[in-house]
Amino acid sequence: MPIDGLATQLRKGVIEYCVLAMLKEMPRYGGEVIQMLRARGELVVSEGTIYPLLSRMRSEGLVETEWRDTPGGAPRRYYRLSRSGQKAVAQFRDEWFRFRDSVDNIFRNGARQ
Amino acid sequence: MPIDGLATQLRKGVIEYCVLAMLKEMPRYGGEVIQMLRARGELVVSEGTIYPLLSRMRSEGLVETEWRDTPGGAPRRYYRLSRSGQKAVAQFRDEWFRFRDSVDNIFRNGARQ
DNA sequence: CAAGGATCCTTGCATTGCAAGGAATGGCGA
DNA sequence: TCGCCATTCCTTGCAATGCAAGGATCCTTG
């Protein structure tokens, strides 16, 4: 059973770039990213989504990582944007706004162009 | 090779409801739907996407179909919205606007809530 | 030492967009 | 008539990715 029926498929291909965008400000670790996405109602994700995603982005060179010890508990792997990650975010951002407008048009104006 | 790199994954889970929304005005056939989506720059799809999609929607009861002869050429299968298809469009519409706002926020304001 | 919380990861599955290939219908020119 | 082409529809197999479930490691607390 998916976390949230309809929106599950909506998230495909968007979460990756949302995560990259969240890393623009500062490096973050996996659990932190999950918490931040959950704070927004519509972007709830599970560990099984985020960790494989972060691994993919690392092997694609979009992010770079660094272990940091914590005052108590397991060490955290922090992710920060690489140069090519920054480019990817910028490129996707443009595509997102165009895509969003197309879909908005269909749902606001019906099929009329 | 995908039709359009980044946007390929974006389309997942959205095209289905865009097609349903396009059927609200009047019944349409597969090729017509493809043409209309291509007219919008950001929602280009191929036959291999639309025909399996229309079949799924038919077997889920979201659309009903009817064959119509054409003045010259192969007959067309026309799709029209069923009652449950109308409900699905309305429900998705609400989800879409919320989802869109969440993503917009991330790309406009960074990670700040 | 045992229990528990936080963190990270892996495996296997479901969904869905896509390319490639193919079949049926009718028009048109050789 | 025969072959070719455009139009329309469909099927097969693959790729990408969100997800649940399960598990490993490290630290603290009792």
Side-chain angles (χ1 to χ4, degrees), chain A residues 42-103:
Chain A
E42 301 305 310
L43 290 169
V44 178
V45 293
S46 70
E47 294 189 343
T49 298
I50 287 299
Y51 287 111
L53 170 59
L54 289 170
S55 287
R56 278 199 303 274
M57 299 197 302
R58 186 160 47 116
S59 66
E60 290 165 3
L62 299 173
V63 295
E64 289 153 357
T65 68
E66 164 197 13
W67 284 99
R68 292 192 202 166
D69 285 339
T70 58
R76 298 165 173 168
R77 188 176 345 231
Y78 276 78
Y79 296 79
R80 73 168 185 285
L81 265 191
S82 70
R83 186 67 56 119
S84 75
Q86 292 172 24
K87 281 187 199 164
V89 173
Q91 184 182 347
F92 181 84
R93 200 184 124 104
D94 291 343
E95 269 191 76
W96 161 256
F97 288 129
R98 284 198 305 271
F99 172 82
R100 177 203 65 182
D101 289 343
S102 290
V103 177

Side-chain angles (χ1 to χ4, degrees), chain B residues 18-111:
Chain B
C18 289
V19 170
L20 287 179
M22 289 191 303
L23 299 180
K24 270 178 96 169
E25 294 180 297
M26 57 171 64
R28 303 185 192 275
Y29 66 98
E32 192 180 3
V33 168
I34 295 175
Q35 286 169 20
M36 292 180 67
L37 286 172
R38 285 198 175 144
R40 306 163 181 283
E42 301 304 311
L43 290 169
V44 178
V45 294
S46 69
E47 294 189 342
T49 298
I50 286 300
Y51 286 110
L53 170 59
L54 289 171
S55 286
R56 279 199 302 273
M57 298 196 303
R58 187 161 45 115
S59 67
E60 290 165 3
L62 299 172
V63 295
E64 289 151 359
T65 67
E66 163 197 14
W67 285 99
R68 293 192 200 166
D69 284 339
T70 57
R76 297 165 173 169
R77 196 193 314 248
Y78 277 78
Y79 296 79
R80 73 168 184 285
L81 265 191
S82 70
R83 186 67 56 118
S84 76
Q86 294 172 23
K87 281 186 198 165
V89 173
Q91 185 183 347
F92 181 84
R93 200 184 124 105
D94 291 342
E95 271 192 74
W96 162 256
F97 288 129
R98 284 197 306 270
F99 172 82
R100 177 204 65 183
D101 289 343
S102 291
V103 178
D104 267 19
N105 247 315
I106 291 178
F107 283 101
R108 273 207 301 260
N109 307 330

